Amino acid sequence: MIALVARFGLAAASRDDRARGLAELRAPVPASLRAVHPSWIEAGLADLPWRARDVLAGGAHTPAEVWLARWACAELPPLPPLRDLARPESLADAIAMVRLADWLAAIGRAQLAYAASLAVPGAPRKDELGPARAVIARCRGTVDPLVIGARTIAGYTDVISARQLAVRLPRALALEAELAAHATGAAPTWAALRTALGG
């Protein structure tokens, strides 16, 4: 228990914060579960008895059922509380956005539009959206704006934030692989990304 307290930064916390943190550690399911896309939860439950589903839904639980629920959630990273943001100031803000999918899709549509405009002679360059070659690379092989949006912000991610972004969105998108494959590309400025939804 001492190692867990140290790991989660609870040693220097106030008594109330420590109590809340320890209660979360003992909870059958992570507090951030509602921020996870349902497809990830379904995948975690696929091979487990039906009681695990009941515990995740908030039903009564025995120690064995708590173990099942935690097993189902084992691959899910901790997530920040969801916030209603239109203009994320950082990647951490983006991960916490209620409208994360809308924001990424708007970024993807802007990248697609820019890539298409590059074929038009004399079209103005939009350097804040990234170098032309990088924009074309991000759009190669897909027209899904959500995937292109994820590829676009890949340069701002690390292993943990990539996992957090992936579990916020449909599992079938395989976004972790997309983020890893495009992590070294020249990304647009954050100022251009943050205003993707307007407002």
Side-chain angles (χ1 to χ4, degrees):
M1 183 60 77
I2 292 170
L4 285 174
V5 168
R7 179 180 167 196
F8 287 91
L10 298 175
S14 71
R15 185 176 178 187
D16 289 343
D17 288 342
R18 223 176 6 253
R20 276 192 295 273
L22 289 171
E24 187 171 328
L25 287 172
R26 292 185 189 116
V29 295
S32 59
L33 189 66
R34 71 184 193 96
V36 174
H37 192 273
S39 60
W40 288 89
I41 298 168
E42 286 299 322
L45 291 168
D47 297 325
L48 297 178
W50 66 272
R51 288 296 296 159
R53 185 178 302 273
D54 187 46
V55 175
L56 287 181
H61 48 271
T62 65
E65 291 163 350
V66 169
W67 185 88
L68 286 173
R70 288 181 177 168
W71 180 273
C73 300
E75 69 174 18
L76 303 175
L79 293 170
L82 293 178
R83 294 187 297 163
D84 191 15
L85 300 170
R87 292 177 173 233
E89 298 296 331
S90 65
L91 181 62
D93 280 352
I95 292 167
M97 289 178 75
V98 171
R99 297 180 59 200
L100 173 63
D102 294 340
W103 179 71
L104 285 175
I107 290 169
R109 285 191 294 274
Q111 293 284 297
L112 277 168
Y114 185 29
S117 76
L118 292 171
V120 179
R125 294 182 61 86
K126 300 178 184 175
D127 293 333
E128 73 280 3
L129 293 181
R133 192 171 294 204
V135 172
I136 292 167
R138 285 191 281 270
C139 295
R140 187 172 291 125
T142 185
V143 292
D144 185 337
L146 197 52
V147 172
I148 295 168
R151 289 175 176 179
T152 304
I153 68 166
Y156 291 97
T157 63
D158 57 25
V159 173
I160 294 170
S161 58
R163 183 70 171 165
Q164 290 175 315
L165 283 167
V167 302
R168 288 286 325 277
L169 299 163
R171 192 168 188 265
L173 292 175
L175 286 186
E176 275 181 286
E178 295 288 353
L179 290 165
H182 292 269
T184 58
T189 64
W190 192 262
L193 295 173
R194 70 182 285 273
T195 59
L197 287 176

